[in-house]
Amino acid sequence: MTLLIVTAVDAERDAVRAGLKDNADISVQTIGLGPAQAAAATALLLAKGNYTGVISAGIAGAFAGRAEIGDTVIATRAIAADLGAQSPRGWLPVVSLGFGGVSSISCDVNLTKDVEGQRGAVLTLATVTGTKETAEELAGRYPDGTAEAMEGFGVATAAKLVGIPFAEIRTISNIVGPRDKDGWKLQEAFAALTKAVGGLA
Ligand SMILES: O=C(O)c1cccc(C(=O)CC[C@H]2O[C@@H](n3cnc4c(=O)[nH]cnc43)[C@H](O)[C@@H]2O)c1
């Protein structure tokens, strides 16, 4: 039986593979960017293989004051932070709309028990946050929200459908706020990712 680790882009996949040193019991695959692509591609992989669990891994943005560049965040839960409705009285998560669905999926602690890092919720968004206002709104809405990325909830949804454990590991490349892509510390985050997944090997 094999553990599946999925990443959005090849650079993340290569950083994870470097930390695992050819461990034959772990398969690392690129699934593409965003929650919809992540859910569909993960479901396809899980349908074709026999996996003990799935981990969404990669880089992420941290909410100011909750994690720093180069830190490792191990998700307690993956939150669908843009699945719901806006209203004049504030945000309405999908669960409050009355049509079913869930707003967050818990992570299995056993999958990441050998990984070092801080624990906190990781938000999944189809749109990367790019303003101070949205960053503050999300941080206020989710007091346990430590980081945001674009795939975790999609991967978690596929794992839940198949009935296998899910976890998410993210290393911090940037602070969530006004868009400054040139300021993302990609190499620091990829190096931290290689180190973090070493515990899984
Ligand atoms: O390999 C490269 O040189 C490279 C250049 C640009 C971007 C990447 C990525 O890996 C981007 C996709 C990756 O980033 C996650 N991510 C990171 N920070 C955030 C954020 O602030 N908000 C949302 N997502 C973020 C995303 O989930 C993907 O895993 C590589």
Side-chain angles (χ1 to χ4, degrees), residues 16 20-21 26 47-48 58 62 66 73 80 93-94 98 106 111 126 132 138 147 152 155 157-158 162 164 174 178 193:
V16 171
L20 295 175
K21 301 189 184 80
I26 305 178
K48 286 181 181 167
R66 297 185 184 175
V73 176
V94 71
S106 296
L111 282 183
K132 184 171 176 282
L138 289 168
V155 176
T157 301
V162 174
I164 61 168
N174 58 286
L193 190 56

Side-chain angles (χ1 to χ4, degrees), residues 1-5 25-29 42 44-54 162-165:
M1 293 283 270
T2 309
L3 175 69
L4 176 63
I5 301 180
D25 297 327
I26 305 178
S27 171
V28 191
Q29 305 293 332
T42 304
L44 201 58
L45 287 169
L46 296 181
K48 286 181 181 167
N50 193 10
Y51 297 102
T52 50
V54 58
V162 174
I164 61 168

Side-chain angles (χ1 to χ4, degrees), residues 8-9 11-12 59-61 128 148-151 170 174 181 184 186:
V9 299
E12 293 171 319
I59 62 174
V128 177
E148 73 161 41
M150 302 176 77
E151 294 79 29
R170 294 281 170 176
N174 58 286
K181 193 67 202 299
W184 285 27
L186 294 168

Side-chain angles (χ1 to χ4, degrees), residues 13-14 18 27 33-34 37 43-44 49-50 72 82 84 91 104-105 124 134 144 170 183 187 198-199:
R13 177 202 62 196
D14 294 345
S27 171
L33 198 68
Q37 171 68 29
L44 201 58
N50 193 10
T72 298
D82 54 11
W91 170 253
S104 88
I105 296 176
T124 301
T134 305
D144 62 335
R170 294 281 170 176
Q187 294 318 316

Side-chain angles (χ1 to χ4, degrees), residues 62 65-72 118 172 175:
R66 297 185 184 175
E68 305 296 332
I69 304 283
D71 282 358
T72 298
Q118 72 176 90
I172 304 305
I175 301 301

